[in-house]
Each structure stands twice: as C-alpha cells, then as structure tokens.
mmCIF file of all heavy atoms in Angstrom:
data_model
loop_
_atom_site.group_PDB
_atom_site.id
_atom_site.type_symbol
_atom_site.label_atom_id
_atom_site.label_comp_id
_atom_site.label_asym_id
_atom_site.label_seq_id
_atom_site.Cartn_x
_atom_site.Cartn_y
_atom_site.Cartn_z
ATOM 1 N N GLN A 1 64.819 127.744 142.624
ATOM 2 C CA GLN A 1 63.435 127.529 142.282
ATOM 3 C C GLN A 1 62.601 127.360 143.454
ATOM 4 O O GLN A 1 61.460 127.946 143.402
ATOM 5 C CB GLN A 1 63.393 126.186 141.380
ATOM 6 C CG GLN A 1 64.178 126.215 140.133
ATOM 7 C CD GLN A 1 63.614 127.335 139.207
ATOM 8 O OE1 GLN A 1 62.358 127.495 138.888
ATOM 9 N NE2 GLN A 1 64.640 128.128 138.709
ATOM 10 N N ILE A 2 62.994 126.748 144.526
ATOM 11 C CA ILE A 2 62.227 126.407 145.632
ATOM 12 C C ILE A 2 61.958 127.713 146.491
ATOM 13 O O ILE A 2 60.829 127.915 147.026
ATOM 14 C CB ILE A 2 62.831 125.351 146.575
ATOM 15 C CG1 ILE A 2 61.711 124.711 147.373
ATOM 16 C CG2 ILE A 2 63.885 125.788 147.325
ATOM 17 C CD1 ILE A 2 60.922 123.735 146.836
ATOM 18 N N VAL A 3 62.851 128.677 146.430
ATOM 19 C CA VAL A 3 62.741 129.909 147.226
ATOM 20 C C VAL A 3 61.669 130.815 146.478
ATOM 21 O O VAL A 3 61.066 131.717 147.116
ATOM 22 C CB VAL A 3 63.909 130.695 147.447
ATOM 23 C CG1 VAL A 3 64.863 129.938 148.461
ATOM 24 C CG2 VAL A 3 64.603 131.170 146.192
ATOM 25 N N LYS A 4 61.353 130.672 145.224
ATOM 26 C CA LYS A 4 60.511 131.468 144.496
ATOM 27 C C LYS A 4 58.987 131.104 144.976
ATOM 28 O O LYS A 4 58.085 131.814 144.842
ATOM 29 C CB LYS A 4 60.478 131.209 143.050
ATOM 30 C CG LYS A 4 61.736 131.739 142.374
ATOM 31 C CD LYS A 4 61.785 131.273 140.912
ATOM 32 C CE LYS A 4 63.038 131.780 140.165
ATOM 33 N NZ LYS A 4 62.992 131.408 138.733
ATOM 34 N N ARG A 5 58.897 129.820 145.445
ATOM 35 C CA ARG A 5 57.448 129.291 145.736
ATOM 36 C C ARG A 5 57.205 129.216 147.214
ATOM 37 O O ARG A 5 56.053 129.146 147.593
ATOM 38 C CB ARG A 5 57.335 127.919 145.041
ATOM 39 C CG ARG A 5 57.223 127.962 143.602
ATOM 40 C CD ARG A 5 57.167 126.567 143.043
ATOM 41 N NE ARG A 5 56.782 126.587 141.612
ATOM 42 C CZ ARG A 5 57.465 127.008 140.596
ATOM 43 N NH1 ARG A 5 58.706 127.542 140.862
ATOM 44 N NH2 ARG A 5 57.050 126.986 139.397
ATOM 45 N N PHE A 6 58.227 128.959 147.974
ATOM 46 C CA PHE A 6 58.073 128.771 149.416
ATOM 47 C C PHE A 6 59.038 129.513 150.273
ATOM 48 O O PHE A 6 60.139 129.825 149.968
ATOM 49 C CB PHE A 6 58.297 127.140 149.849
ATOM 50 C CG PHE A 6 57.423 126.308 149.019
ATOM 51 C CD1 PHE A 6 57.858 125.598 147.916
ATOM 52 C CD2 PHE A 6 56.059 126.089 149.349
ATOM 53 C CE1 PHE A 6 57.125 124.754 147.139
ATOM 54 C CE2 PHE A 6 55.344 125.268 148.687
ATOM 55 C CZ PHE A 6 55.814 124.657 147.581
ATOM 56 N N GLU A 7 58.631 129.709 151.583
ATOM 57 C CA GLU A 7 59.545 130.211 152.601
ATOM 58 C C GLU A 7 60.265 129.014 153.176
ATOM 59 O O GLU A 7 59.699 128.144 153.630
ATOM 60 C CB GLU A 7 58.774 131.066 153.681
ATOM 61 C CG GLU A 7 59.734 131.621 154.685
ATOM 62 C CD GLU A 7 58.864 132.365 155.748
ATOM 63 O OE1 GLU A 7 57.846 132.786 155.453
ATOM 64 O OE2 GLU A 7 59.312 132.249 156.993
ATOM 65 N N VAL A 8 61.649 129.036 152.946
ATOM 66 C CA VAL A 8 62.347 127.858 153.286
ATOM 67 C C VAL A 8 63.573 128.240 154.131
ATOM 68 O O VAL A 8 64.078 129.262 154.298
ATOM 69 C CB VAL A 8 62.948 127.071 151.985
ATOM 70 C CG1 VAL A 8 61.856 126.657 151.212
ATOM 71 C CG2 VAL A 8 63.790 128.003 151.251
ATOM 72 N N GLU A 9 64.066 127.212 154.943
ATOM 73 C CA GLU A 9 65.279 127.289 155.746
ATOM 74 C C GLU A 9 66.160 126.163 155.239
ATOM 75 O O GLU A 9 65.792 125.037 155.301
ATOM 76 C CB GLU A 9 64.879 127.142 157.173
ATOM 77 C CG GLU A 9 65.983 127.013 158.128
ATOM 78 C CD GLU A 9 65.670 126.577 159.615
ATOM 79 O OE1 GLU A 9 64.445 126.638 159.939
ATOM 80 O OE2 GLU A 9 66.555 126.286 160.334
ATOM 81 N N PHE A 10 67.289 126.491 154.878
ATOM 82 C CA PHE A 10 68.270 125.518 154.398
ATOM 83 C C PHE A 10 69.117 125.037 155.559
ATOM 84 O O PHE A 10 69.683 125.837 156.226
ATOM 85 C CB PHE A 10 69.233 126.126 153.331
ATOM 86 C CG PHE A 10 68.386 126.311 152.030
ATOM 87 C CD1 PHE A 10 67.919 127.514 151.778
ATOM 88 C CD2 PHE A 10 68.224 125.194 151.131
ATOM 89 C CE1 PHE A 10 67.218 127.795 150.543
ATOM 90 C CE2 PHE A 10 67.445 125.459 149.934
ATOM 91 C CZ PHE A 10 66.943 126.743 149.647
ATOM 92 N N LYS A 11 69.191 123.756 155.746
ATOM 93 C CA LYS A 11 69.953 123.103 156.819
ATOM 94 C C LYS A 11 71.418 122.973 156.578
ATOM 95 O O LYS A 11 72.271 122.939 157.369
ATOM 96 C CB LYS A 11 69.419 121.854 157.162
ATOM 97 C CG LYS A 11 67.852 121.847 157.577
ATOM 98 C CD LYS A 11 67.698 122.204 159.005
ATOM 99 C CE LYS A 11 66.303 122.263 159.389
ATOM 100 N NZ LYS A 11 65.979 122.042 160.649
ATOM 101 N N GLY A 12 71.721 122.834 155.240
ATOM 102 C CA GLY A 12 73.066 122.649 154.821
ATOM 103 C C GLY A 12 73.190 121.776 153.495
ATOM 104 O O GLY A 12 72.205 121.310 153.037
ATOM 105 N N ARG A 13 74.502 121.703 153.109
ATOM 106 C CA ARG A 13 74.817 120.822 151.960
ATOM 107 C C ARG A 13 75.997 120.082 152.307
ATOM 108 O O ARG A 13 77.065 120.429 152.625
ATOM 109 C CB ARG A 13 75.137 121.818 150.798
ATOM 110 C CG ARG A 13 75.400 121.039 149.484
ATOM 111 C CD ARG A 13 75.696 121.825 148.422
ATOM 112 N NE ARG A 13 74.512 122.700 147.934
ATOM 113 C CZ ARG A 13 74.431 123.491 146.905
ATOM 114 N NH1 ARG A 13 75.614 123.635 146.096
ATOM 115 N NH2 ARG A 13 73.381 124.107 146.620
ATOM 116 N N LEU A 14 75.866 118.798 152.287
ATOM 117 C CA LEU A 14 76.928 117.799 152.491
ATOM 118 C C LEU A 14 77.473 117.329 151.124
ATOM 119 O O LEU A 14 76.835 117.149 150.153
ATOM 120 C CB LEU A 14 76.367 116.593 153.255
ATOM 121 C CG LEU A 14 75.936 116.882 154.595
ATOM 122 C CD1 LEU A 14 75.473 115.525 155.286
ATOM 123 C CD2 LEU A 14 76.823 117.517 155.449
ATOM 124 N N GLY A 15 78.679 116.991 151.230
ATOM 125 C CA GLY A 15 79.401 116.469 150.009
ATOM 126 C C GLY A 15 80.908 116.609 150.042
ATOM 127 O O GLY A 15 81.425 117.309 150.949
ATOM 128 N N TYR A 16 81.598 116.252 149.070
ATOM 129 C CA TYR A 16 83.109 116.297 148.984
ATOM 130 C C TYR A 16 83.499 117.766 148.647
ATOM 131 O O TYR A 16 82.767 118.426 147.869
ATOM 132 C CB TYR A 16 83.511 115.442 147.735
ATOM 133 C CG TYR A 16 85.018 115.589 147.568
ATOM 134 C CD1 TYR A 16 85.857 115.007 148.471
ATOM 135 C CD2 TYR A 16 85.506 116.029 146.436
ATOM 136 C CE1 TYR A 16 87.267 114.949 148.401
ATOM 137 C CE2 TYR A 16 86.917 116.053 146.315
ATOM 138 C CZ TYR A 16 87.747 115.597 147.226
ATOM 139 O OH TYR A 16 89.102 115.616 147.067
ATOM 140 N N ARG A 17 84.278 118.351 149.560
ATOM 141 C CA ARG A 17 84.688 119.730 149.414
ATOM 142 C C ARG A 17 83.557 120.740 149.561
ATOM 143 O O ARG A 17 83.530 121.835 148.859
ATOM 144 C CB ARG A 17 85.454 119.961 148.071
ATOM 145 C CG ARG A 17 86.663 119.225 147.960
ATOM 146 C CD ARG A 17 87.437 119.572 146.623
ATOM 147 N NE ARG A 17 88.566 118.805 146.414
ATOM 148 C CZ ARG A 17 89.265 118.818 145.436
ATOM 149 N NH1 ARG A 17 89.057 119.596 144.397
ATOM 150 N NH2 ARG A 17 90.401 118.084 145.264
ATOM 151 N N THR A 18 82.704 120.521 150.533
ATOM 152 C CA THR A 18 81.692 121.521 150.914
ATOM 153 C C THR A 18 82.083 122.101 152.151
ATOM 154 O O THR A 18 82.835 121.501 153.004
ATOM 155 C CB THR A 18 80.307 120.958 150.978
ATOM 156 O OG1 THR A 18 80.337 119.948 151.906
ATOM 157 C CG2 THR A 18 79.714 120.332 149.764
ATOM 158 N N GLU A 19 81.551 123.298 152.558
ATOM 159 C CA GLU A 19 81.963 124.002 153.888
ATOM 160 C C GLU A 19 81.382 123.225 155.054
ATOM 161 O O GLU A 19 81.920 123.369 156.188
ATOM 162 C CB GLU A 19 81.459 125.341 153.784
ATOM 163 C CG GLU A 19 82.002 126.237 152.838
ATOM 164 C CD GLU A 19 81.443 127.611 152.642
ATOM 165 O OE1 GLU A 19 80.722 128.026 153.657
ATOM 166 O OE2 GLU A 19 81.763 128.255 151.750
ATOM 167 N N GLN A 20 80.394 122.454 154.919
ATOM 168 C CA GLN A 20 79.683 121.874 156.084
ATOM 169 C C GLN A 20 79.883 120.371 155.986
ATOM 170 O O GLN A 20 79.846 119.711 154.983
ATOM 171 C CB GLN A 20 78.066 122.171 155.965
ATOM 172 C CG GLN A 20 77.446 121.771 157.088
ATOM 173 C CD GLN A 20 76.041 122.357 157.038
ATOM 174 O OE1 GLN A 20 75.667 123.087 156.114
ATOM 175 N NE2 GLN A 20 75.133 122.130 158.126
ATOM 176 N N SER A 21 80.246 119.782 157.134
ATOM 177 C CA SER A 21 80.494 118.348 157.190
ATOM 178 C C SER A 21 79.490 117.499 157.839
ATOM 179 O O SER A 21 79.411 116.358 157.714
ATOM 180 C CB SER A 21 81.941 118.089 157.932
ATOM 181 O OG SER A 21 81.733 118.579 159.191
ATOM 182 N N SER A 22 78.480 118.143 158.610
ATOM 183 C CA SER A 22 77.375 117.508 159.221
ATOM 184 C C SER A 22 76.063 118.380 159.149
ATOM 185 O O SER A 22 76.155 119.578 159.142
ATOM 186 C CB SER A 22 77.771 117.053 160.582
ATOM 187 O OG SER A 22 77.916 118.278 161.426
ATOM 188 N N VAL A 23 75.063 117.632 159.193
ATOM 189 C CA VAL A 23 73.749 118.316 159.341
ATOM 190 C C VAL A 23 72.678 117.387 160.029
ATOM 191 O O VAL A 23 72.981 116.245 160.020
ATOM 192 C CB VAL A 23 73.190 118.550 157.908
ATOM 193 C CG1 VAL A 23 72.877 117.316 157.085
ATOM 194 C CG2 VAL A 23 72.039 119.468 157.941
ATOM 195 N N THR A 24 71.704 117.979 160.670
ATOM 196 C CA THR A 24 70.726 117.193 161.325
ATOM 197 C C THR A 24 69.483 117.217 160.443
ATOM 198 O O THR A 24 68.991 118.272 159.879
ATOM 199 C CB THR A 24 70.363 117.750 162.610
ATOM 200 O OG1 THR A 24 71.530 117.805 163.501
ATOM 201 C CG2 THR A 24 69.252 116.923 163.350
ATOM 202 N N LEU A 25 68.965 115.927 160.069
ATOM 203 C CA LEU A 25 67.759 115.884 159.311
ATOM 204 C C LEU A 25 66.849 114.919 159.949
ATOM 205 O O LEU A 25 67.190 113.749 160.371
ATOM 206 C CB LEU A 25 68.165 115.216 157.940
ATOM 207 C CG LEU A 25 67.002 114.893 156.998
ATOM 208 C CD1 LEU A 25 66.198 116.269 156.553
ATOM 209 C CD2 LEU A 25 67.426 114.166 155.788
ATOM 210 N N LEU A 26 65.565 115.345 160.358
ATOM 211 C CA LEU A 26 64.619 114.507 161.034
ATOM 212 C C LEU A 26 65.092 113.882 162.187
ATOM 213 O O LEU A 26 64.929 112.623 162.623
ATOM 214 C CB LEU A 26 64.055 113.409 160.057
ATOM 215 C CG LEU A 26 63.495 113.881 158.700
ATOM 216 C CD1 LEU A 26 63.074 112.670 157.862
ATOM 217 C CD2 LEU A 26 62.213 114.681 159.025
ATOM 218 N N ASN A 27 65.874 114.734 163.024
ATOM 219 C CA ASN A 27 66.448 114.447 164.342
ATOM 220 C C ASN A 27 67.516 113.267 164.253
ATOM 221 O O ASN A 27 67.874 112.579 165.065
ATOM 222 C CB ASN A 27 65.387 113.965 165.350
ATOM 223 C CG ASN A 27 64.524 115.110 165.719
ATOM 224 O OD1 ASN A 27 65.068 116.218 165.973
ATOM 225 N ND2 ASN A 27 63.206 114.851 165.845
ATOM 226 N N ARG A 28 68.165 113.237 163.080
ATOM 227 C CA ARG A 28 69.185 112.228 162.845
ATOM 228 C C ARG A 28 70.444 112.941 162.387
ATOM 229 O O ARG A 28 70.269 113.877 161.463
ATOM 230 C CB ARG A 28 68.840 111.174 161.777
ATOM 231 C CG ARG A 28 67.794 110.350 162.275
ATOM 232 C CD ARG A 28 66.899 109.722 161.225
ATOM 233 N NE ARG A 28 65.963 108.804 161.593
ATOM 234 C CZ ARG A 28 64.751 109.176 161.965
ATOM 235 N NH1 ARG A 28 64.345 110.337 161.956
ATOM 236 N NH2 ARG A 28 63.799 108.226 162.352
ATOM 237 N N ALA A 29 71.558 112.623 162.880
ATOM 238 C CA ALA A 29 72.845 113.320 162.460
ATOM 239 C C ALA A 29 73.414 112.666 161.247
ATOM 240 O O ALA A 29 73.621 111.514 161.246
ATOM 241 C CB ALA A 29 73.828 113.306 163.637
ATOM 242 N N LEU A 30 73.747 113.475 160.219
ATOM 243 C CA LEU A 30 74.472 112.843 158.991
ATOM 244 C C LEU A 30 75.699 113.692 158.865
ATOM 245 O O LEU A 30 75.815 114.903 158.955
ATOM 246 C CB LEU A 30 73.652 113.277 157.769
ATOM 247 C CG LEU A 30 72.121 112.691 157.659
ATOM 248 C CD1 LEU A 30 71.396 113.277 156.448
ATOM 249 C CD2 LEU A 30 72.282 111.127 157.550
#
C-alpha cells in the first residue's frame, strides 16, 4: 500500500525467523 503512494526506502524487518537481525532507526541500533 505504501509504495503505491510514496517513494520509499525500506530499512528492514526485524522479528523471529527474519533474514535481518538488526536495523538502524533514527540513528539508533535495534
């Protein structure tokens, strides 16, 4: 839905059994 309305850059998806284990959001490491 969001890509239909805006040009976006996805930083990642965190969670159990996801490919990515960390992401930076607002200069904070999660």
Side-chain angles (χ1 to χ4, degrees):
Q1 298 303 309
I2 200 79
V3 298
K4 290 178 186 177
R5 291 175 166 71
F6 302 102
E7 183 179 326
V8 295
E9 174 188 347
F10 290 95
K11 303 279 180 152
R13 183 181 292 184
L14 296 181
Y16 182 68
R17 295 186 183 172
T18 59
E19 294 177 15
Q20 192 167 1
S21 64
S22 65
V23 67
T24 301
L25 176 68
L26 301 173
N27 293 318
R28 291 155 178 89
L30 299 170

